[in-house]
Amino acid sequence: MKAIAITGQGGLDRVQYLEVERPRLGPQEVLIETRAVALNHLDLFVRNNLDTLKLSTPHVAGADGAGVVAEVGPDVRTIKPGDRVLINPALNCGVCEFCQAGEQSLCVRLGIMGESCPGTFAEYFKVPQDNVHPVPEGFSWEEAAALPLVFVTAWRMLISKAAIKPGEDILILGIGGGVSTAVLQIVKALGVRAFVTSGSDDKLQLAKKLGADAGINYKTQDFAREIRTLTDRRGVDVVVDSVGGDSYAKSLASLVKGGRLVTCGSTAGARPQTDLQRIFWNQLSVFGSTMGNRREFVEMLNFVRKRGVKPVIDQMFPLPDGAHAFGRMEEGKQFGKIVLNVNGNT
Ligand SMILES: NC(=O)c1ccc[n+]([C@@H]2O[C@H](COP(=O)([O-])OP(=O)(O)OC[C@H]3O[C@@H](n4cnc5c(N)ncnc54)[C@H](OP(=O)(O)O)[C@@H]3O)[C@@H](O)[C@H]2O)c1
Ligand SMILES: [Zn+2]
């Protein structure tokens, strides 16, 4: 079968469309004939850290995917060939203390499709049966593929960690990203006032169309100062910061006393300067968050279904053009999710 595979650690030339072996099914696994897959920042991370991750080459990338069930292992009961499915990309051991307690994203052996095993960027991919969910009604293949990773990450950050409430104010950094657009869509459905930052005025305009209440260009403005102006000096209740780097101290400075910061990423740097005095004097809470547990995944699916929320698709490429898709993400041009269409996508 054909796949977008990484042939070694390095640049875009290491992202290639080539022939790889079709996955062989274990007893509790499901083989999916792919219709669409979506990129995540994780895919760039995997390509840049292939050696540390100890992955063999060519390595099929990709965490997110959706398609039609082609085959099921002998112990699979509830899923059948022909089902239209999307996947939860988080892989867990099922036996550690955290898995036993239903906190799968804390699993001591947590893995992700395309990061700890072959991924979804291929004509077929396989996943454990517990990772398979029906595509919500009315979703296109592109929307089904684009939804899982960023929406479950956003859901856990907002609901389980920050416990955001209607009437509160939020600041979302780097609104062009997949996680950030998902966060914006969820909080607008919840009745939260949302401020966003971006390095692009065009993206700030697109964010306003999605419901953002105000936008700040982090390249030309000091966003912490702007947030004080926008909130009558008060600050916001919650900051979702998946950027890190120089933004982190400004994120803390944007919070109201007693405010909450949630981080799931460090696109601009993982070891930023912080401000302990501000954290203790203003009694701020800082939450780390990664993906979500199974209950949160189902809650998220129910939420988008009931509220009619669908992921923002930035651009679609055919699978053979996967390297161009990687390039678009690397240059930070996207607003929302970059998707690859596979197998004619019908
Ligand atoms: N822990 C988890 O479970 C989890 C899950 C998903 C993602 N993540 C992490 O979260 C981050 C975002 O992921 P993603 O897939 O949404 O990535 P993405 O689609 O590539 O988006 C990254 C966005 O970050 C913004 N950005 C980059 N540099 C910036 C800077 N210096 N200052 C402010 N904003 C900056 C850009 O926004 P503008 O274009 O608007 O400027 C860009 O669009 C990544 O680091 C990823 O690894 C973690
Ligand atoms: Zn576990």
Side-chain angles (χ1 to χ4, degrees), residues 259-280:
R260 297 98 78 195
L261 182 150
V262 202
T263 168
C264 73
S266 52
T267 311
R271 286 171 183 76
Q273 278 232 298
T274 185
D275 186 343
L276 294 178
Q277 208 167 28
R278 194 184 287 280
I279 290 176
F280 68 71

Side-chain angles (χ1 to χ4, degrees), residues 140-176:
S140 66
W141 285 120
E142 294 83 9
E143 289 161 347
L147 181 82
L149 198 149
V150 294
F151 267 82
V152 74
T153 303
W155 186 261
R156 183 171 173 88
M157 284 199 287
L158 293 168
I159 307 300
S160 308
K161 298 289 182 171
I164 195 138
K165 292 181 276 298
E168 289 192 315
D169 288 345
I170 192 171
L171 167 65
I172 309 163
L173 300 197
I175 196 60

Side-chain angles (χ1 to χ4, degrees), residues 234-279:
R234 176 182 180 269
V236 293
D237 302 280
V238 173
V239 175
V240 171
D241 182 346
S242 62
V243 172
D246 292 342
S247 303
Y248 183 69
K250 287 187 195 160
S251 291
L252 293 174
S254 304
L255 284 167
V256 67
K257 281 200 159 202
R260 297 98 78 195
L261 182 150
V262 202
T263 168
C264 73
S266 52
T267 311
R271 286 171 183 76
Q273 278 232 298
T274 185
D275 186 343
L276 294 178
Q277 208 167 28
R278 194 184 287 280
I279 290 176

Side-chain angles (χ1 to χ4, degrees), residues 40-41 149 153 174-179 197-199 203 218 242-243 247 264-268 289-291 329 332 334:
N40 288 284
H41 210 86
L149 198 149
T153 303
I175 196 60
V179 171
T197 75
S198 178
K203 292 189 190 184
Y218 60 75
S242 62
V243 172
S247 303
C264 73
S266 52
T267 311
S289 196
T290 280
M291 298 178 79
M329 176 167 271
Q334 78 280 17

Side-chain angles (χ1 to χ4, degrees), residues 32-214:
I32 295 165
E33 189 182 306
T34 320
R35 290 295 184 270
V37 299
L39 267 74
N40 288 284
H41 210 86
L42 175 73
D43 302 311
L44 301 182
F45 176 85
V46 169
R47 199 201 65 205
N48 293 333
N49 294 277
L50 208 69
D51 298 343
T52 331
L53 291 168
K54 298 194 172 67
L55 293 165
S56 59
T57 54
H59 170 72
V60 178
D64 274 325
V68 179
V69 173
E71 206 181 313
V72 298
D75 295 351
V76 176
R77 296 279 172 266
T78 54
I79 301 151
K80 54 183 191 318
D83 287 354
R84 289 162 53 93
V85 297
L86 54 73
I87 61 155
N88 178 347
L91 305 168
N92 60 283
C93 77
V95 295
C96 75
E97 60 173 304
F98 301 104
C99 285
Q100 292 290 313
E103 276 290 15
Q104 290 85 5
S105 75
L106 285 172
C107 175
V108 296
R109 282 178 283 278
L110 180 68
I112 309 175
M113 286 292 290
E115 181 257 358
S116 53
C117 66
T120 57
F121 293 178
E123 289 176 314
Y124 293 87
F125 65 89
K126 68 169 187 176
V127 283
Q129 59 175 340
D130 292 342
N131 288 57
V132 171
H133 298 263
V135 171
E137 209 164 307
F139 269 52
S140 66
W141 285 120
E142 294 83 9
E143 289 161 347
L147 181 82
L149 198 149
V150 294
F151 267 82
V152 74
T153 303
W155 186 261
R156 183 171 173 88
M157 284 199 287
L158 293 168
I159 307 300
S160 308
K161 298 289 182 171
I164 195 138
K165 292 181 276 298
E168 289 192 315
D169 288 345
I170 192 171
L171 167 65
I172 309 163
L173 300 197
I175 196 60
V179 171
S180 297
T181 47
V183 168
L184 176 60
Q185 290 181 281
I186 293 172
V187 297
K188 287 320 293 181
L190 291 173
V192 169
R193 187 162 68 149
F195 306 119
V196 304
T197 75
S198 178
S200 148
D201 289 338
D202 289 345
K203 292 189 190 184
L204 292 174
Q205 286 308 320
L206 290 170
K208 283 192 184 150
K209 286 193 190 142
L210 264 190
D213 294 273

